[in-house]
Amino acid sequence: MSRHTPGPGYLETLAQANVNFTRTPIIAFTEKKIVTMGNVEWKVCSVICCTGANTDVLPPFPINVPGVGFIQDAWTPDPYTHLGLAAHGFPNLVFIQSPNATGYNGTVSNQIETQATYIVPLLRKVT
């Protein structure tokens, strides 16, 4: 069995001077930084987290909004999302292929493209 390679430009993007790829677990998010194991702080404009083959709909790291709480608590026992892209009470947090994001028909690649078509202009506007 072979694994498909990433799309055109993927590896070139990872090699850019302003891109840092890390597989170190995230322990906290601050207003403008993420903190990884070992208390390493990374200044960020946006964060893209990939959970891989995580079959649980809950993120494997804590997401907390002061005064609102943790998304893990908000999504227990059932997750509730807006269009499968956002969660009530968690501003500036968007998802691709989150709970309730997929429709009853169509391909996964088309669903991801549709979600990215909505999210990318949003990220451009806020950064």
Side-chain angles (χ1 to χ4, degrees):
M1 176 176 225
S2 65
R3 184 175 186 159
H4 296 288
T5 58
Y10 177 79
L11 295 176
E12 293 82 0
T13 300
L14 286 179
Q16 296 290 321
N18 64 338
V19 174
N20 291 300
F21 174 80
T22 181
R23 294 178 58 181
T24 307
I26 296 170
I27 59 171
F29 287 86
T30 66
E31 185 175 337
K32 298 193 184 265
K33 297 178 182 179
I34 61 170
V35 182
T36 56
M37 294 289 275
N39 290 322
V40 177
E41 294 186 359
W42 302 75
K43 184 177 178 187
V44 295
C45 294
S46 59
V47 178
I48 299 172
C49 298
C50 303
T51 59
N54 183 5
T55 58
D56 187 350
V57 297
L58 299 174
F61 47 86
I63 298 175
N64 182 28
V65 173
V68 175
F70 290 91
I71 199 164
Q72 286 81 354
D73 296 331
W75 280 5
T76 302
D78 296 312
Y80 178 77
T81 62
H82 175 68
L83 300 175
L85 297 170
H88 177 73
F90 294 84
N92 304 325
L93 178 62
V94 292
F95 304 93
I96 292 181
Q97 291 301 94
S98 73
N100 310 314
T102 57
Y104 294 104
N105 57 17
T107 63
V108 171
S109 57
N110 184 356
Q111 295 165 0
I112 292 171
E113 181 180 355
T114 301
Q115 294 165 12
T117 300
Y118 179 85
I119 293 171
V120 168
L122 174 71
L123 290 175
R124 285 187 177 136
K125 188 169 185 159
V126 298
T127 57

